Amino acid sequence: EVQLVESGGGLVQPGGSLRLSCAASGFTFSTYWMSWVRQAPGKGLEWVANLKQDGSEKYYVDSVKGRFTISRDNAKNSLYLQLNSLRVEDTAVYYCAREGSRSGDPFDYWGQGTLVTVSS
Amino acid sequence: SYVLTQPPSVSVAPGKTARITCGGNNIGSKSVHWYQQKPGQAPVLVIYYDTDRPSGIPERFSGSNSGSTATLTISRVEAGDEADYYCQVWDNIGDHWVFGGGTKLTVL
């Protein structure tokens, strides 16, 4: 059974940092693109970043470029998102999602999300 | 950047057909994926590559994509279909994924 379990969310002050983790199981993690998607309270889905199987390609939404860093450890079946210089508007539930083996494949599995709250 | 436009809400009576649109510039040339999200839950893929259904998704769910509009069609709507629905495409100009704003489906 495919499982994605996020962790690392919490309350942080503006300007602070957090590191989110996504533990994957039930599939060969190293053969899939992976993404982070967020959802602000009461709002729609916003894609944040994705990462190719070997880490050689990564893409970000403009609003997080230079502040967030996506990475992965295929030996540990884990995906990460380093969040720096956090802003109030980064408050959201952050989901880890599995893409396919090809760029452009849909997100066929999602975690349950971890809540990040940026507030003073 | 590429923009996807969905109606904020669609209402339909049980047993009828719901159509949720997703508009974008020449979206017919792109591959569209659709997700269903119920309150407090993670999204679930319901249609991928315009028309394909993942295993476990009822045949009542179908998709089409042409010109400037992609459409998610739900036939014989049930109370359990009430949810938010999002379309998604890969913008290969900006190298990023784009979601539509979402449509809240209400079953009357």
Side-chain angles (χ1 to χ4, degrees), chain A residues 2-76:
Chain A
V2 172
Q3 284 197 323
L4 298 169
V5 180
E6 302 93 338
S7 61
L11 175 63
V12 62
Q13 292 186 338
S17 297
L18 277 178
R19 189 193 196 206
L20 307 184
S21 298
C22 171
S25 60
F27 65 101
T28 306
F29 179 74
S30 62
T31 63
Y32 288 86
W33 284 78
M34 297 294 296
S35 260
W36 288 98
V37 178
R38 68 183 179 182
Q39 187 169 35
K43 302 298 184 182
L45 301 174
E46 181 183 38
W47 172 78
V48 174
N50 71 346
L51 183 61
K52 192 176 180 179
Q53 292 91 328
D54 62 359
S56 61
E57 294 181 41
K58 57 183 73 174
Y59 302 102
Y60 299 90
V61 68
D62 287 347
S63 59
V64 309
K65 283 180 182 176
R67 300 189 300 123
F68 292 7
T69 302
I70 189 171
S71 62
R72 64 194 296 163
D73 185 336
N74 288 337
K76 295 184 177 180

Side-chain angles (χ1 to χ4, degrees), chain B:
Chain B
S1 62
Y2 196 78
V3 175
L4 294 174
T5 302
Q6 297 183 238
S9 62
V10 167
S11 298
V12 63
K16 299 299 185 182
T17 298
R19 293 179 179 85
I20 298 173
T21 59
C22 175
N25 183 29
N26 198 26
I27 195 174
S29 67
K30 299 182 180 297
S31 295
V32 180
H33 312 310
W34 290 91
Y35 301 88
Q36 175 194 70
Q37 186 181 33
K38 296 181 179 179
Q41 298 184 18
V44 172
L45 179 68
V46 293
I47 292 290
Y48 64 101
Y49 285 117
D50 298 341
T51 60
D52 293 340
R53 251 181 308 103
S55 60
I57 300 301
E59 292 183 8
R60 301 183 296 104
F61 287 79
S62 63
S64 63
N65 184 18
S66 179
S68 61
T69 305
T71 303
L72 172 69
T73 301
I74 309 172
S75 305
R76 303 180 300 282
V77 167
E78 303 173 357
D81 298 331
E82 194 163 274
D84 294 325
Y85 291 84
Y86 296 90
C87 57
Q88 178 199 35
V89 301
W90 174 255
D91 174 13
N92 55 6
I93 302 299
D95 280 335
H96 56 252
W97 284 104
V98 179
F99 284 101
T103 298
K104 181 176 181 58
L105 176 67
T106 299
V107 181
L108 301 171

